[in-house]
């Protein structure tokens, strides 16, 4: 089976590419390298012992996508390409609507033109409304509170309409909770340049001496220790969810990819201390605007429909992140 992967040079995409190659799929990657790295693909290919086809291409370039699809003839598309910073989306919403919404529309147009009818889309738990009560089932009320989340929601609506109009189409929406982790070899993981927004990359930055202390946002949430609680999922479990989605029937499907279990910020810091054997200094500061207290998935639907379940726990996620930092201290640089 041939799979086209957009955004395959990024954090999650490169791990998906590795896994697909490893399972024997032929893979073609389309990426504009705005945040991804060509060397991540080289590493994925080396780890799997199989080649990957790469096209430096923006998903908004519909005609270029069509010619790539006509030549590669994929049976399915995994669509990871997009921008993902909530803060940046608030500052520059137009970038997010253009990259994430316009980019996805362009991809769907190319797929329809080339009669490729299976699309697996990276959505996010940020589409759930702030007033819902966790754990969130897929039918919980939606209502994202920032442009990033709204861009994901719009693509979900687009996919819903495409599936209604084209009964041969399979549109699979995967709502990720908080992906963390790396390949156990230490060769593939998340490499954030500059100051990361997400908790685990920031904690890693402190361990690497790039930042002095972690700021724990909030001490008065209604949680066990007052800090925010999230459903962290190992990126390799997430990737297995995409592989399982390749076998779903036609029509629209929506799945949460999470573990169903939440951890507080202090529990994550504690886990990173225990795998690294180092003390991680932190300050408790005010809440970060826009954060919810608790975000946890109800992952039952994915279990029932795809026999998929997250297998790895928080310690394994932290161990793999720490190992990636040790093995690749400069990320994908120097190659
Ligand atoms: P990433 O930034 O590491 O990877 C995104 C990749 O897409 C990069 O390689 C980038 O160069 C490429 N890209 C961006 N815009 C493009 C365009 N217009 N055309 C072609 N390529 C483009 O991000 P990631 O963490 O791997 O996330 C992958 C997907 O998962 C994104 O859509 C993101 O919104 C979604 N997601 C991520 C998280 C998370 O915490 N990492 C959570 C929920 C959803
Ligand atoms: N967080 C924190 N300090 C940081 C970054 C994040 O305390 O430097 C907290 C944040 O308030 C939330 C949790 O860690 O409760 C996860 O945040 P992240 O940005 O990783 O994911 P998201 O908020 O998008 O779920």
């Amino acid at each position: 089976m041939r799979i086209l992967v957009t955004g395959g040079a990024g954090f999650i995409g490169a791990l998906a590419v590795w896994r697909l190659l490893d399972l024997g799929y032929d893979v073609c990657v389309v990426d504009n390298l705005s945040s991804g790295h060509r060397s991540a693909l080289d590493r994925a290919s080396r780890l799997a012992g199989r080649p990957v086809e790469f096209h430096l291409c923006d998903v908004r370039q519909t005609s270029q996508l069509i010619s790539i699809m006509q030549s590669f003839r994929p049976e399915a598309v995994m669509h990871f390409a997009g921008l993902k910073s909530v803060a940046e989306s608030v500052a520059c919403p137009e970038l997010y609507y253009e990259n994430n919404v316009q980019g996805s529309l362009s991809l769907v147009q190319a797929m329809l033109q080339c009669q490729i009818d299976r699309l697996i889309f990276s959505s996010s738990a940020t589409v759930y409304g702030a007033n819902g009560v966790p754990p969130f089932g897929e039918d919980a009320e939606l209502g994202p509170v920032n442009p990033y989340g709204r861009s994901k929601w719009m693509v979900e609506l687009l996919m819903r309409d495409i599936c209604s109009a084209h009964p041969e189409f399979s549109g699979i929406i995967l709502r990720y909770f908080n992906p963390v982790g790396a390949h156990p070899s230490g060769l593939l993981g998340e490499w954030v340049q500059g100051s990361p927004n997400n908790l685990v990359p920031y904690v890693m930055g402190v361990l690497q001496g790039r930042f002095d202390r972690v700021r724990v946002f909030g001490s008065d949430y209604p949680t066990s220790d007052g800090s925010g609680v999230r459903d962290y999922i190992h990126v390799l479990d997430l990737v297995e969810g995409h592989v399982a989605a390749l076998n779903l029937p036609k029509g629209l499907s929506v799945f949460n990819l999470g573990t169903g279990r939440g951890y507080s910020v202090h529990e994550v810091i504690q886990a990173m201390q225990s795998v690294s054997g180092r003390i991680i200094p932190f300050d408790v500061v005010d809440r970060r605007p826009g954060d919810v207290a608790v975000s946890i998935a109800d992952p039952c639907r994915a279990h029932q429909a795809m026999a998929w379940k997250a297998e790895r726990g928080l310690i394994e996620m932290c161990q793999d992140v720490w190992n990636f930092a040790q093995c690749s201290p400069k990320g994908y640089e120097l190659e």
Side-chain angles (χ1 to χ4, degrees), residues 65-252:
L65 281 181
I66 289 172
S67 69
I68 293 167
M69 286 176 186
Q70 280 171 342
S71 130
F72 183 68
R73 292 179 294 107
E75 282 135 302
V77 176
M78 290 187 185
H79 179 32
F80 297 97
L83 302 178
K84 62 167 183 177
S85 158
V86 169
E88 186 186 44
S89 80
V90 173
C92 295
E94 65 281 8
L95 274 184
Y96 278 68
Y97 292 113
E98 201 191 319
N99 245 281
N100 295 1
V101 182
Q102 168 60 26
S104 301
L105 174 60
S106 159
L107 180 69
V108 168
Q109 286 169 325
M111 289 178 69
L112 291 174
Q113 170 116 7
C114 299
Q115 290 162 343
I116 297 157
D117 54 18
R118 180 170 295 263
L119 175 61
I120 301 174
F121 170 61
S122 306
S123 189
S124 163
T126 53
V127 297
Y128 291 114
N131 299 326
V133 180
F136 298 116
E138 287 84 353
D139 296 328
E141 193 189 335
L142 303 186
V145 295
N146 54 61
Y148 167 68
R150 283 191 278 273
S151 75
K152 291 290 177 189
W153 192 16
M154 286 183 186
V155 178
E156 290 199 5
L157 293 171
L158 163 70
M159 287 177 67
R160 194 170 289 274
D161 290 340
I162 293 292
C163 288
S164 307
H166 302 275
E168 74 286 0
F169 205 87
S170 308
I172 299 131
I173 293 167
L174 300 180
R175 293 184 183 144
Y176 306 169
F177 279 68
N178 289 61
V180 169
H183 190 276
S185 65
L187 288 177
L188 292 173
E190 184 169 23
W191 184 39
V192 186
Q193 286 162 301
S195 181
N197 294 307
N198 293 119
L199 177 63
V200 172
Y202 199 92
V203 171
M204 223 29 264
V206 172
L207 282 170
Q208 290 173 315
R210 289 189 289 126
F211 313 111
D212 291 339
R213 309 170 75 77
V214 178
R215 285 171 306 158
V216 176
F217 297 134
S219 57
D220 55 356
Y221 286 113
T223 59
S224 60
D225 60 25
S227 68
V229 167
R230 296 291 182 274
D231 184 338
Y232 298 92
I233 174 170
H234 197 296
V235 63
L236 291 183
D237 282 326
L238 197 73
V239 163
E240 290 309 327
H242 291 69
V243 173
L246 289 169
N247 297 315
L248 286 165
K250 298 200 174 303
L252 185 80

